[in-house]
């Protein structure tokens, strides 16, 4: 697969003619080429988005909606094809891509395509003296930068509301997983979006992402990725007064009380720990268990984790596929070594796994459970972003809250208890943007999504997204 940039409605090579290898993580082999775009390509893309902005922003909401709905229908028809491409590019089980990633990308388009049909303006009435009305207008050219863990899911989570609100877009998917954004650009072309409304640039963060977020004609940045990258981008945005939303890392607590529904909790905790090989910013990586349940929990959790099958992503029997890249697998395994040095006990897993035959060069590892660490160690403070969890006991509600909040991150948390009052109390006291009580990863696209502390700035989702991708303008009319 030779990937091309999509700029001004045309598939183009990077101007320097250079490419980087695209690696299939399930085999470790090169299977395609990705443009190594630079500032010249970004300038071209931003210029085309700028040219397209006046007419796109002036189209009626229903016209913009119909383009997005057509795109959703096209994607729906090719769900299987996109799921296979996602699984090959990322290493995630095909079953997950079919059930979660691609359906959610379709939903993103449908949700925002229809949400804009119901938008209305606000009026603040001042009686007989006058009134205010508030217009919400698109900003212009916006930059959408997405990561590799949920490639099309997060790419569309940004471009759908940006386009629906009337902005034109330059989007950069992760260079580690560019395939589905590329084949989406083929569908965008087929649907016939006006030229320049959506431009997709491929390449590395420093070569293509940085010039994009720095460009003076880009007025808004929506970014999901690592906290260090987010900090760098935030500095650029601040110096240039750009509107910004940052969805960054997490080190989410999963707080389990002994009065919970044990079977449901165990099944869900296995998923919240190891889905997508633990490479979801919402995974619960610090498991806190009430001490009177600790031994029973650990035994059952290990028993259920043992049942997970690690295998080729395309195999329907695989629960875990491969880690996204060699570098990332090495990073995860280095944290397992660190955990041992910090006094942790590997209760299960912690190993690199080599499959047979054509998959022998793939990046596989076992789901890993570590105990006996305290909250202050690096293993419990730094985002590992892999199939590695720690398990710790707590003896009171207050201690659970303290441990949960002992983190520089604050994205999500899960609470397991059948005591309704306690559940609400804990939800209120944990510093995080998203709390699930007796569940995990239930997503309603209308709800605000994002984190506190080093997990990010701002919220996206539902009307939060439509507000983020527009600028309010208040107009006062004097009647006196
Ligand atoms: O992410 P990066 P990486 C975490 C996770 C992971 C770590 C690093 O802990 O180990 O981040 O992952 C683009 N200007 N998460 O290195 O670099 C880049 O090309 C503009 C959590 O893969 O943040 C890609 O498109 N753009 C996370 C995107 O930023 C830049 C998901 C994300 O890449 C850039 C992924 C720059 N200077 C990783 N540098 C989550 N919260 O979901 C890079 N990029």
């Amino acid at each position: 697969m030779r990937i091309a940039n999509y700029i001004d409605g045309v598939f183009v090579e990077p101007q320097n003619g250079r490419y980087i290898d695209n690696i299939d993580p399930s085999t470790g082999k090169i299977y395609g080429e990705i443009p190594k775009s630079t500032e010249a390509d970004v300038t071209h893309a931003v210029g085309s988005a700028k040219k397209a902005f006046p007419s796109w922003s002036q189209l009626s909401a229903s016209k913009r909606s119909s383009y997005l709905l057509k795109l959703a229908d096209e994607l729906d028809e090719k769900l299987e094809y996109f799921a296979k491409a996602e699984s090959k590019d990322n290493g995630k089980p095909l079953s997950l891509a079919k059930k979660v990633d691609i359906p959610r990308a379709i939903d993103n388009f449908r949700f925002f395509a229809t949400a804009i049909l119901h938008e209305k303006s606000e009026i603040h009435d001042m009686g007989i003296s006058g009134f205010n009305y508030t217009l919400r207008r698109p900003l212009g050219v916006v930059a959408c930068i997405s990561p590799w863990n949920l490639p099309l899911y997060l790419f569309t989570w940004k471009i759908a509301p940006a386009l629906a609100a009337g902005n034109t877009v330059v989007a950069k998917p992760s260079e580690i997983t560019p395939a589905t954004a590329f084949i989406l650009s083929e569908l965008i072309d087929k649907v016939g979006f006006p030229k320049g409304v959506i431009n997709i640039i491929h390449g590395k963060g420093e070569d293509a992402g940085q010039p994009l977020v720095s460009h003076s004609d880009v007025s808004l940045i929506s970014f999901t990725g690592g906290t260090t990258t987010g900090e760098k981008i935030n500095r650029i945005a601040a110096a240039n007064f750009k509107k910004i939303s940052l969805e960054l890392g997490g080190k989410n607590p999963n707080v389990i009380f002994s009065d919970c529904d044990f079977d449901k909790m165990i099944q869900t905790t296995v998923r919240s720990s190891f889905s997508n090989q633990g490479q979801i910013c919402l995974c619960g990586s610090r498991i806190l268990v009430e001490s009177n349940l600790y031994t029973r929990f650990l035994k059952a959790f290990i028993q259920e984790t043992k049942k997970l099958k690690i295998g080729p992503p395309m195999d329907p029997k695989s629960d875990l596929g491969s880690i996204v890249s060699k570098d990332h697998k090495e990073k995860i395994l280095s944290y397992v070594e660190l955990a041992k040095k910090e006094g942790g006990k590997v209760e299960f897993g912690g190993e690199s796994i080599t499959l047979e035959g054509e998959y022998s060069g793939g990046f596989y590892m076992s789901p890993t459970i570590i105990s006996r660490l305290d909250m202050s160690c690096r293993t419990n403070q730094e985002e590992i972003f892999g199939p590695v969890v720690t398990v710790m006991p707590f003896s009171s509600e207050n201690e659970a809250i303290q441990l949960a909040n002992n983190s520089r991150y604050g994205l999500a948390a899960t609470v397991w208890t059948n005591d309704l009052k306690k559940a609400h109390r804990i939800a209120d006291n944990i510093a995080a943007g998203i709390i699930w009580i007796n569940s995990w990863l239930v997503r309603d696209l209308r709800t605000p999504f994002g984190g506190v502390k080093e997990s990010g700035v701002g919220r996206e989702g539902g009307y939060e997204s439509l507000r983020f991708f527009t600028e309010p303008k208040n107009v006062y009319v004097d009647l006196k």
Side-chain angles (χ1 to χ4, degrees):
M1 181 190 269
R2 187 175 224 209
I3 286 174
N5 288 330
Y6 185 65
I7 304 176
D8 209 16
V10 182
F11 291 95
V12 286
E13 294 210 358
Q15 292 187 23
N16 60 13
R18 294 175 65 193
Y19 285 82
I20 36 184
D21 292 336
N22 194 11
I23 299 190
D24 173 349
S26 74
T27 60
K29 294 194 181 120
I30 298 169
Y31 86 103
E33 288 184 312
I34 314 157
K36 194 173 186 306
S37 307
T38 57
E39 191 167 357
D41 306 290
V42 169
T43 306
H44 182 197
V46 173
S48 93
K50 192 176 174 184
K51 210 167 58 198
F53 177 68
S55 50
W56 178 251
S57 58
Q58 282 158 28
L59 274 189
S60 66
S62 68
K63 192 76 190 142
R64 287 200 303 272
S65 170
S66 69
Y67 278 111
L68 292 165
L69 288 173
K70 259 190 238 156
L71 184 57
D73 290 345
E74 289 286 337
L75 190 53
D76 209 347
E77 258 181 46
K78 298 199 166 56
L79 193 154
E80 182 86 22
Y81 172 62
F82 270 81
K84 280 191 179 142
E86 198 72 295
S87 168
K88 188 171 178 65
D89 213 26
N90 172 279
K92 67 177 68 212
L94 175 62
S95 54
L96 189 69
K98 266 205 265 193
K99 209 170 100 195
V100 178
D101 292 74
I102 311 305
R104 174 55 196 277
I106 298 164
D107 284 351
N108 287 338
F109 285 123
R110 293 211 169 114
F111 178 85
F112 289 108
T114 49
I116 47 161
L117 303 178
H118 305 272
E119 273 290 79
K120 48 191 181 302
S121 313
E122 299 132 59
I123 292 184
H124 293 95
D125 183 16
M126 295 175 74
I128 53 166
S129 59
F131 66 93
N132 302 271
Y133 63 92
T134 310
L135 301 169
R136 290 189 184 271
R137 296 287 190 242
L139 284 93
V141 181
V142 304
C144 297
I145 299 189
S146 48
W148 46 259
N149 58 330
L150 300 164
L152 195 69
Y153 176 128
L154 289 173
F155 187 78
T156 53
W157 176 240
K158 297 178 181 306
I159 68 169
L163 293 168
N167 301 283
T168 53
V169 171
V170 180
K172 197 198 86 59
S174 169
E175 63 275 29
I176 300 169
T177 53
T180 46
F182 170 59
I183 55 179
L184 185 77
S185 57
E186 295 179 330
L187 291 190
I188 290 168
D189 199 59
K190 184 175 174 204
V191 163
F193 275 78
K195 287 183 192 322
V197 164
I198 164 99
N199 305 274
I200 302 177
I201 291 272
H202 297 272
K204 296 204 168 188
E206 62 271 29
D207 302 336
Q210 187 120 346
L212 174 58
V213 296
S214 312
H215 198 293
S216 56
D217 286 332
V218 168
S219 31
L220 174 152
I221 302 161
S222 170
F223 172 81
T224 301
T227 294
T228 314
T229 315
E231 189 193 337
K232 217 189 235 180
I233 294 176
N234 206 11
R235 283 179 201 281
I236 297 170
N240 296 283
F241 304 98
K242 293 176 194 287
K243 201 170 177 186
I244 190 161
S245 154
L246 300 167
E247 290 176 21
L248 309 174
K251 191 77 185 174
N252 308 310
N254 178 4
V255 185
I256 300 167
F257 287 91
S258 56
D259 59 2
C260 68
D261 175 342
F262 190 81
D263 293 339
K264 183 179 173 197
M265 177 276 294
I266 284 285
Q267 295 307 326
T268 310
T269 296
V270 171
R271 277 198 311 115
S272 68
S273 303
F274 304 123
S275 284
N276 207 36
Q277 298 72 246
Q279 303 165 135
I280 303 180
C281 51
L282 303 165
C283 279
S285 50
R286 295 181 296 143
I287 304 178
L288 308 174
V289 190
E290 196 167 12
S291 17
N292 56 354
L293 189 73
Y294 186 81
T295 311
R296 182 179 168 212
F297 169 82
L298 195 56
K299 192 167 168 233
F301 185 46
I302 293 170
Q303 205 175 339
E304 289 306 304
T305 302
K306 266 186 194 163
K307 292 183 191 162
L308 295 176
K309 190 172 172 326
I310 303 139
M314 298 288 168
D315 183 341
K317 292 193 288 297
S318 300
D319 298 300
L320 270 75
S322 61
I323 301 297
V324 74
S325 69
K326 184 166 178 280
D327 285 354
H328 193 53
K329 178 179 157 182
E330 280 166 9
K331 176 187 152 186
I332 300 168
L333 288 172
S334 77
Y335 271 101
V336 177
E337 289 314 306
L338 174 71
K340 288 183 200 160
K341 280 196 201 115
E342 290 182 321
K345 179 180 178 213
V346 177
E347 300 277 359
F348 182 76
E351 295 140 12
S352 173
I353 293 208
T354 306
L355 299 186
E356 290 183 347
E358 63 171 310
Y359 300 103
S360 61
F363 317 130
Y364 301 89
M365 70 169 284
S366 50
T368 303
I369 303 169
I370 299 169
S371 67
R372 298 191 193 166
L373 287 172
D374 71 21
M375 200 51 94
S376 63
C377 68
R378 280 182 57 204
T379 310
N380 269 329
Q381 288 295 326
E382 296 175 16
E383 187 185 41
I384 301 173
F385 216 61
V388 178
V389 294
T390 58
V391 188
M392 278 152 291
F394 67 84
S395 45
S396 69
E397 197 179 310
N398 273 347
E399 194 194 357
I401 292 168
Q402 253 175 25
L403 290 171
N405 286 338
N406 184 348
S407 171
R408 59 194 175 99
Y409 294 107
L411 186 56
T414 305
V415 183
W416 289 95
T417 175
N418 275 337
D419 178 339
L420 199 57
K421 288 184 187 164
K422 182 162 72 185
H424 285 295
R425 262 196 319 270
I426 307 262
D428 200 32
N429 281 300
I430 290 183
I434 303 151
I435 314 269
W436 282 289
I437 297 173
N438 299 330
S439 66
W440 178 69
L441 207 61
V442 176
R443 289 282 297 121
D444 177 331
L445 300 194
R446 294 170 299 177
T447 60
F449 182 92
V452 299
K453 300 196 264 185
E454 291 186 26
S455 288
V457 174
R459 294 289 181 278
E460 293 185 40
Y463 294 111
E464 302 276 349
S465 285
L466 291 177
R467 294 202 161 198
F468 171 61
F469 284 106
T470 53
E471 202 75 277
K473 181 192 279 178
N474 193 67
V475 181
Y476 171 70
V477 182
D478 197 279
L479 297 177
K480 292 193 292 289

